[in-house]
Amino acid sequence: LTRLNRSGFSLPTILSRRLQPLSSAVIESDEKDPRFVDYRKVSVKGGIGGRGCVSYQTITYKRKKIPDGADGGRGGDVLFEACSKLSTLAHVRPHLKGLKGGDGWSKNMLGRNARHTTIRLPTGTMIFNEGELVADLKEDGQRFLVAAGGEAGRGNSGGMSSTRALAPHDERACGKIGDEATLVLDLRTIADVGLVGMPNAGKSTFLNAVSNAHPRIASYPFTTLNPHLGAVDFDDFYRMRIADIPGIIQGAAQDVGVGYRFLKHLERNKVLLYILDLSDEAKLPAPEAFALLQAELERYQPGMTGRPSLVVANKMDGRGAAANLKLLDQRLPEEYQIVPVIARQAKNVQVVTTVLRKMVEDADN
């Protein structure tokens, strides 16, 4: 499986121990949850402020009433927080509401401020309000205030006039309604490397070989029906995230097959990794499959194929794979490096992860 790259050195040479991948940790895999959701429209309301109290303390010997009604508590805010351990919006309810503030009491006992409601969203979620991007949760733990809670109602010991203080239903005693908004949540997976390939090319098998993500693997097309995110950990604690999306077929940018809804998960990837089936059983010859994949990516987003890319020639144990590799090497442009592998046997996959790491680090600089 040794192939000389364009510079003339052998790829499966002795690799530095620093670059050897360990058994990798899984960031998240939702194969067990078929309700993968990457788009959600939600209605959000901040909590209502607590009602102020209108009451009086009677001092008998002075024949006098002293106002002692306290203010209510402030309504709770609604916040979104990015969490790298999540990869779907399925848990987000369509209607979100903050908690109500506590009511004020007599004897100047203030109402309790409501606790804030925090909804965790997957890292990479974009938040739109009336078509305008208002927040992009790229970092783990990043927060965004969605709807502020309402102001608290005032009690009659807080400065109301004597004439207004006599009315138990004074409008100033009522808690205020919190902010309201209708938002669109659009999840776009953040990963260092995005896997691109036709159905049944071996993308999920490759992800399973290099990480501990366990997407469904079978010998029929469209086994993967939602994106998966795995991570490769190296000895020096470097982590590289790899995203696998469903297979791309001709017309995917026009909503054919699983459609273009999953192509958006490639928008934030630093490096594209093309997985090609080199066996004679492939639906298309490898050079034609590569051209089709690039054409669909360009139709979806012009310029996407200009990112750093690596080509993996998979299924090298298949019939006719050696001859097909020579044909691919002849027809592929010089700037694309090819690495032959047998993903189901995990052969030569460490070479791929090592080259990918170098490409990701170069993209970061």
Side-chain angles (χ1 to χ4, degrees):
L1 297 179
T2 301
R3 177 186 185 273
L4 295 179
N5 70 357
R6 309 291 184 180
S7 301
F9 62 86
S10 179
L11 285 176
T13 53
I14 300 177
L15 302 177
S16 169
R17 177 173 175 79
R18 185 180 73 88
L19 299 177
Q20 295 295 325
L22 297 171
S23 58
S24 309
V26 179
I27 293 181
E28 186 77 10
S29 180
D30 284 315
E31 188 63 45
K32 295 182 180 179
D33 183 7
R35 303 177 302 134
F36 176 80
V37 177
D38 56 5
Y39 182 91
R40 180 78 86 187
K41 188 174 183 179
V42 295
S43 174
V44 187
K45 294 182 179 180
I48 300 175
R51 181 178 178 81
C53 178
V54 178
S55 70
Y56 297 88
Q57 179 185 8
T58 301
I59 303 178
T60 305
Y61 67 91
K62 289 187 177 182
R63 297 181 181 179
K64 186 177 181 181
K65 290 183 178 180
I66 300 177
D68 66 345
D71 296 345
R74 182 182 173 83
D77 299 340
V78 179
L79 304 100
F80 287 152
E81 180 180 0
C83 178
S84 61
K85 294 183 179 180
L86 298 177
S87 60
T88 177
L89 298 172
H91 64 285
V92 181
R93 295 175 296 176
H95 300 283
L96 304 174
K97 189 175 182 180
L99 300 177
K100 181 181 181 298
D103 293 339
W105 291 79
S106 60
K107 300 182 181 180
N108 294 312
M109 292 188 292
L110 296 171
R112 174 181 293 181
N113 291 332
R115 291 180 298 173
H116 301 319
T117 301
T118 301
I119 309 298
R120 292 187 175 182
L121 303 178
T123 306
T125 302
M126 305 175 72
I127 304 171
F128 294 88
N129 186 4
E130 298 181 352
E132 180 182 356
L133 179 64
V134 294
D136 191 356
L137 305 181
K138 293 182 178 180
E139 302 294 334
D140 188 28
Q142 182 180 349
R143 285 191 167 195
F144 173 67
L145 176 61
V146 184
E151 294 290 339
R154 295 177 58 188
N156 64 336
S157 65
M160 287 186 176
S161 65
S162 59
T163 55
R164 293 296 295 258
L166 294 175
H169 301 289
D170 192 294
E171 61 181 11
R172 288 176 290 179
C174 299
K176 304 303 184 291
I177 298 175
D179 295 342
E180 300 184 16
T182 299
L183 305 173
V184 171
L185 308 181
D186 190 0
L187 172 61
R188 304 189 183 186
T189 304
I190 295 179
D192 298 310
V193 180
L195 301 185
V196 183
M198 298 191 67
N200 210 30
K203 301 186 305 299
S204 297
T205 305
F206 176 82
L207 183 64
N208 185 66
V210 300
S211 76
N212 281 349
H214 299 294
R216 184 181 301 162
I217 299 174
S219 58
Y220 53 84
F222 294 111
T223 310
T224 302
L225 296 178
N226 54 262
H228 294 272
L229 193 61
V232 180
D233 290 333
F234 292 82
D235 283 347
D236 58 351
F237 303 105
Y238 181 84
R239 167 169 284 191
M240 181 173 63
R241 296 163 297 178
I242 301 179
D244 175 25
I245 69 167
I248 299 174
I249 62 174
Q250 187 172 4
Q254 285 77 40
D255 209 16
V256 177
V258 293
Y260 61 85
R261 60 174 290 213
F262 291 128
L263 290 176
K264 66 182 181 181
H265 293 283
L266 297 174
E267 292 182 11
R268 301 188 176 190
N269 300 156
K270 303 171 185 175
V271 177
L272 298 180
L273 180 62
Y274 295 89
I275 307 291
L276 303 180
D277 184 354
L278 268 288
S279 67
D280 286 342
E281 287 76 19
K283 187 175 181 180
L284 285 177
E288 296 181 17
F290 179 78
L292 186 150
L293 294 172
Q294 286 208 316
E296 291 301 325
L297 293 181
E298 281 296 316
R299 288 192 187 99
Y300 173 74
Q301 185 182 85
M304 181 178 286
T305 57
R307 300 180 188 179
S309 302
L310 180 66
V311 177
V312 166
N314 191 25
K315 302 186 181 181
M316 288 303 300
D317 56 339
R319 184 179 57 187
N324 293 332
L325 178 60
K326 292 182 180 179
L327 178 63
L328 178 65
D329 187 32
Q330 294 172 359
R331 297 180 58 179
L332 213 62
E334 286 290 327
E335 62 267 20
Y336 292 103
Q337 183 175 325
I338 305 173
V339 181
V341 303
I342 304 177
R344 66 186 183 90
Q345 299 178 10
K347 288 188 177 180
N348 223 32
V349 295
Q350 287 189 353
V351 176
V352 179
T353 56
T354 301
V355 176
L356 285 176
R357 173 176 177 174
K358 179 65 167 56
M359 298 175 71
V360 170
E361 289 178 336
D362 291 343
D364 289 334
N365 296 332

